[in-house]
Amino acid sequence: MISLKSFITDQWYSGQDKPTQLFNPATETVIAVTDTSGIDTKAVLDHARNIGGPTLRSMSFAERGALLKAMSRALYAERERLIDVSCICNGATRKDSKFDIDGATGTLSYYAKLGTELGDGTILTDGESERLTANARFVGQHVFLPRPGVAIHINAFNFPAWGTFEKIACAFLAGMPVVTKPATATALLTYEMIKIIVDAEILPAGVLQFIAGSARDLLDYADGQDVIAFTGSADTAHTLRQNASVTLNSARFNAEADSLNAAILGPDVEVGDDIWYTYIKNIVTDMTQKAGQKCTAIRRIIAPEAIADDLQAALVEELSRITVGNPAHDGIRMGPLASAAQLRDVRDGIDELAAHSSILTGGSAPIAAEGVPDGKGYFVAPTLLRANDGADDIFHSKEVFGPCATILTYDGSAAQAVMLMAKGKGCLVSSVYSNHKKWISEALLQSAVWTGRLQLVSAKVADSALPPGMVLPNQLHGGPGRAGGGEELGGMRGLHHYWNRTCIQGDTALLGKLLK
Ligand code: NAP
């Protein structure tokens, strides 16, 4: 069994208290323990601010990009071993594990290239300088400067690889040192990845620190030049936002929270159209990939009443082909949920939704999973529901973070589709499937304001469109309202959280030299 260590002040550290156990969610065997007791969290933040920050800020974008490239390469070299770790630590199939791990190395690599493109400078100007008076020499110039604090990253359990490194990539390239903390339940994979980076001696001192589990009182010491980037539930985001470091000290807080993502089928789509098949495929992928534990997964299937019976039949048929079992075994399409707590939450959530809907397939009852000891593992069946009343608030407010989605029917009008979509109060991503130009023009922009990313699938892109649940480094990730109101990634946009924008006024010749 592995005992996870934290990497703080450039040393490995083990707590001395009662450790927390981590389980293989397929077999329920203990695979690791971790303990973060005794960590001097204030010293951790000071180390990043005093040692890591100045070093990173003195490096050019190209040099910071080179660090990211080296990290990506070191992790990629151990890809096969990391996939095995992922399977036992968070219940991900090999395919799901690649999605997470390749997402991490791919995002590091994307930002490494961006660093090369940004070149030898250390800071960026924002727009052109502007003349302010009759004297042409006196100008104002906006400039982005890396914050002289620390980026505190708090991640969710479902993407222990990608979630950690997509945040690190942006912070490092922007010029901020990082203290990162994965969710305790799946911290083993993150630990193995951080160990690879540390052992490869890629990073300068103080640039990266890792807390292998509970963050303890870390946020209490955050200051006004720090950034807290959080991914997790809306409830935890609500708690953390109220920390005095945010409310009094103005530490910058970015939240990526939960989301009831919608997939809206237009009234023009018929059974057998290309778009129809894309719709079915995307829903099934989102429900079953990572056992539905994706913040971007489709939860609300918004479809015209007239086609709903055909849709439910097609989805039930596809879902019946999903083999559920030990993700380490070949042929398994869906693994377990990541923890016993998740299993409890998902079963309760299904029951809550089922009180207002019909269960078309699946449900909350225990299932026999393949390749595991009898009765073991945190498994739940892919579960499709059909709402009694699509406008019922429960379907727009209760996120069941597992392989569960609900068909909500509407009358085919753009107005009703948008009304249902908006009831989710803000999504990370949603998708609209139609070829009907007038209907699209009514539905698209009205629904777009309720989501961070909106995918329009029409006949011409039906075979090339990516599944909406896929997050890309050059596209925005985040969403308004309930989704947390935050933004990550999106190419250069992802660096902005780690910068202050300052307007500097003075002699144009002098500023030109200083801001090179
Ligand atoms: P969670 O329970 O909110 O935990 C998220 C993180 O917050 C974990 O690392 C957790 O650490 C930490 N945390 C909890 N209380 C804390 C505190 N008082 N101080 C500092 N850190 C604290 O969420 P989860 O169960 O891991 O993830 C599932 C949720 O995340 C779902 O609702 C999903 O929609 C959302 N999610 C959103 C996105 C997105 O990009 N928007 C991505 C993935 C997941 P411990 O584990 O050590 O308690």
Side-chain angles (χ1 to χ4, degrees):
M1 194 205 319
I2 300 169
S3 178
L4 307 194
K5 295 186 180 66
S6 296
F7 187 70
I8 50 171
T9 59
D10 295 309
Q11 290 163 38
W12 291 105
Y13 173 91
S14 298
Q16 303 300 325
D17 210 343
K18 193 164 170 275
T20 304
Q21 295 181 321
L22 278 57
F23 297 89
N24 177 336
T27 59
E28 299 183 36
T29 48
V30 179
I31 48 170
V33 291
T34 188
D35 176 12
T36 62
S37 63
I39 291 181
D40 181 347
T41 49
K42 182 173 180 308
V44 167
L45 297 181
D46 285 343
H47 186 68
R49 292 182 192 119
N50 299 333
I51 308 293
T55 311
L56 265 184
R57 291 195 297 278
S58 72
M59 297 170 79
S60 68
F61 287 109
E63 287 169 330
R64 295 174 205 158
L67 297 181
L68 301 180
K69 188 172 176 186
M71 289 167 72
S72 178
R73 283 192 170 161
L75 293 172
Y76 192 79
E78 302 232 24
R79 181 172 182 258
E80 284 305 312
R81 183 173 73 79
L82 291 173
I83 289 171
D84 291 342
V85 174
S86 167
C87 290
I88 62 160
C89 118
N90 67 3
T93 61
R94 280 187 65 80
K95 208 169 166 195
D96 292 345
S97 300
K98 288 177 195 165
F99 189 58
D100 188 18
I101 293 161
D102 293 346
T105 51
T107 305
L108 286 168
S109 171
Y110 170 86
Y111 278 98
K113 279 198 200 103
L114 193 55
T116 309
E117 283 162 27
L118 291 172
D120 292 335
T122 55
I123 54 170
L124 284 185
T125 50
D126 175 23
E128 300 296 317
S129 66
E130 290 174 57
R131 182 172 155 175
L132 300 175
T133 64
N135 181 347
R137 284 193 75 119
F138 185 64
V139 296
Q141 171 70 61
H142 291 86
V143 60
F144 294 119
L145 295 164
R147 290 161 79 92
V150 49
I152 301 170
H153 292 168
I154 299 176
N155 283 300
F157 72 84
N158 56 339
F159 281 100
W162 171 81
T164 301
F165 288 94
E166 57 96 10
K167 285 188 175 63
I168 287 177
C170 291
F172 279 6
L173 189 57
M176 282 194 82
V178 169
V179 175
T180 186
K181 171 223 159 335
T184 303
T186 58
L188 173 59
L189 178 59
T190 320
Y191 166 74
E192 292 291 349
M193 297 176 88
I194 298 286
K195 211 159 151 321
I196 291 169
I197 305 290
V198 172
D199 289 349
E201 299 183 357
I202 294 165
L203 297 174
V207 162
L208 178 62
Q209 297 178 83
F210 163 72
I211 296 182
S214 168
R216 311 177 64 77
D217 55 355
L218 183 73
L219 293 196
D220 296 347
Y221 299 105
D223 219 331
Q225 294 285 3
D226 298 336
V227 175
I228 301 165
F230 167 79
T231 297
S233 62
D235 284 349
T236 308
H238 176 66
T239 306
L240 301 189
R241 262 200 191 100
Q242 294 175 59
N243 190 296
S245 62
V246 179
T247 56
L248 288 181
N249 299 346
S250 304
R252 189 173 285 168
F253 189 81
N254 190 72
E256 301 287 335
D258 41 83
S259 169
L260 286 142
N261 310 298
I264 304 173
L265 190 67
D268 54 304
V269 182
E270 292 180 3
V271 176
D273 287 354
D274 287 354
I275 300 185
W276 168 263
Y277 291 116
T278 310
Y279 191 59
I280 306 279
K281 185 164 71 98
N282 286 350
I283 292 167
V284 172
T285 299
D286 267 8
M287 285 181 69
T288 56
Q289 189 174 46
K290 299 210 98 220
Q293 300 165 107
K294 264 186 342 187
C295 51
T296 52
I298 296 165
R299 307 282 177 208
R300 298 180 293 155
I301 303 165
I302 301 178
E305 180 69 42
I307 209 168
D309 288 348
D310 293 316
L311 178 65
Q312 74 179 49
L315 286 171
V316 168
E317 191 186 333
E318 287 301 317
L319 291 169
S320 71
R321 299 203 179 104
I322 302 294
T323 44
V324 181
N326 192 331
H329 294 192
D330 288 341
I332 294 298
R333 296 250 320 258
M334 192 178 97
L337 299 170
S339 67
Q342 279 307 115
L343 180 64
R344 265 195 311 275
D345 278 3
V346 167
R347 283 185 171 157
D348 289 351
I350 290 174
D351 288 343
E352 210 177 318
L353 296 187
H356 306 265
S357 59
S358 316
I359 298 179
L360 304 175
T361 185
S364 63
I367 57 166
E370 289 182 25
V372 294
D374 262 359
K376 288 291 182 193
Y378 311 133
F379 294 97
V380 68
T383 298
L384 182 68
L385 308 165
R386 180 161 168 180
N388 300 338
D389 172 4
D392 193 329
D393 283 345
I394 188 82
F395 302 106
H396 307 280
S397 58
K398 177 75 198 165
E399 182 201 44
V400 179
F401 203 60
C404 176
T406 308
I407 297 175
L408 314 172
T409 58
Y410 76 107
D411 63 8
S413 68
Q416 209 178 61
V418 172
M419 181 276 289
L420 290 177
M421 152 101 184
K423 278 177 76 74
K425 296 192 173 157
C427 306
L428 294 168
V429 57
S430 284
S431 43
V432 171
Y433 300 72
S434 175
N435 286 314
H436 191 308
K437 288 200 179 117
K438 184 163 177 295
W439 187 87
I440 292 171
S441 75
E442 285 171 31
L444 199 70
L445 292 184
Q446 286 188 56
S447 54
V449 293
W450 293 100
T451 184
R453 185 160 54 83
L454 182 66
Q455 191 177 94
L456 171 61
V457 181
S458 54
K460 292 211 167 112
V461 297
D463 58 352
S464 58
L466 294 167
M470 181 174 283
V471 177
L472 298 169
N474 59 354
Q475 307 279 290
L476 182 73
H477 177 57
R482 182 200 167 103
E487 290 189 352
E488 282 183 347
L489 299 173
M492 286 294 292
R493 297 170 190 89
L495 308 187
H496 285 251
H497 308 295
Y498 302 102
W499 287 337
N500 284 351
R501 190 198 324 255
T502 305
C503 177
I504 303 185
Q505 298 173 339
D507 175 352
T508 186
L510 187 57
L511 293 192
K513 278 192 197 125
L514 284 174
L515 302 179
K516 259 205 291 204

